[in-house]
Amino acid sequence: METRARRRPHLLPLLLLLLLLCGECPPVGGCNEKRMLAMLPHCGKTFAERMKKVEVWKWCNLSEFIVYYESFTNCTEVETNVVGCYWPNPLAESFIAGVHRRFFQNCSVARHHWQDPPDGILIPLIAAPILLTIAMTGVVVWRSKRTAQVV
């Protein structure tokens, strides 16, 4: 047996590399959803503890807690992969949506809808440059004719 190990010393690094690469491969048994649902609350609890450091009125400003949110996302991905599930998946997304409802329900996603100003303001804003262009063109033509008469 000792002689076999001496003949194949190159297999050990290959075996270690294989184990390292398959560290995130789903196990043969498939996704253990019950275990995943038991592990994900740990990520949510850690995120909630970190969010206590951020004032509530800053919760809608992502730049105030982006590091905490990235850590939360990474945690959910790792915990999901550990139990042999792919990430994202519907159950993990549902959990993440629950965290969003808890922390970001008052954050507005509505965009400001631009409206045209009233006609009393809009018409002069359109007409002024048009009339100014016509007037300047007239002045240039008038000056060029006048210069031609003088010479």
Side-chain angles (χ1 to χ4, degrees), residues 9 11-12 18 32 34-35 51 55 75-76 79 85 91-93 99 108-109 125 131 137-138 140 150:
L11 290 181
L12 183 60
L18 183 62
N32 186 339
K34 288 182 182 179
R35 190 165 172 229
M51 285 299 283
E55 297 174 38
C75 179
T76 59
E79 295 296 345
C85 301
L91 290 174
E93 287 176 354
V99 170
S108 171
V109 292
L125 288 174
L131 295 174
T137 305
V140 168
V150 173

Side-chain angles (χ1 to χ4, degrees), residues 97-113:
V99 170
H100 279 225
R101 279 191 299 276
R102 178 178 171 194
F103 289 98
F104 313 121
Q105 69 180 352
N106 294 327
C107 298
S108 171
V109 292
R111 306 257 189 297
H112 181 69
H113 297 286

Side-chain angles (χ1 to χ4, degrees), residues 98-146:
V99 170
H100 279 225
R101 279 191 299 276
R102 178 178 171 194
F103 289 98
F104 313 121
Q105 69 180 352
N106 294 327
C107 298
S108 171
V109 292
R111 306 257 189 297
H112 181 69
H113 297 286
W114 295 98
Q115 295 180 356
D116 288 338
D119 288 345
I121 295 174
L122 189 60
I123 292 172
L125 288 174
I126 294 171
I130 294 171
L131 295 174
L132 187 59
T133 303
I134 293 170
M136 292 305 294
T137 305
V139 168
V140 168
V141 170
W142 176 70
R143 282 296 282 183
S144 64
K145 285 184 179 180
R146 191 166 173 240

Side-chain angles (χ1 to χ4, degrees), residues 47 50 62-74:
F47 180 70
R50 291 178 175 171
L62 186 60
S63 63
E64 295 290 332
F65 60 89
I66 186 70
V67 174
Y68 304 148
Y69 191 80
E70 180 184 16
S71 179
F72 167 69
T73 304
N74 291 338

Side-chain angles (χ1 to χ4, degrees), residues 35-48:
R35 190 165 172 229
M36 178 186 68
L37 290 175
M39 294 175 78
L40 287 179
H42 162 73
C43 300
K45 183 178 177 183
T46 303
F47 180 70

Side-chain angles (χ1 to χ4, degrees), residues 1 3-20:
M1 187 162 167
T3 56
R4 285 186 186 172
R6 288 183 188 165
R7 284 187 217 158
R8 300 181 198 168
H10 63 281
L11 290 181
L12 183 60
L14 184 61
L15 182 60
L16 291 174
L17 179 63
L18 183 62
L19 288 172
L20 179 68

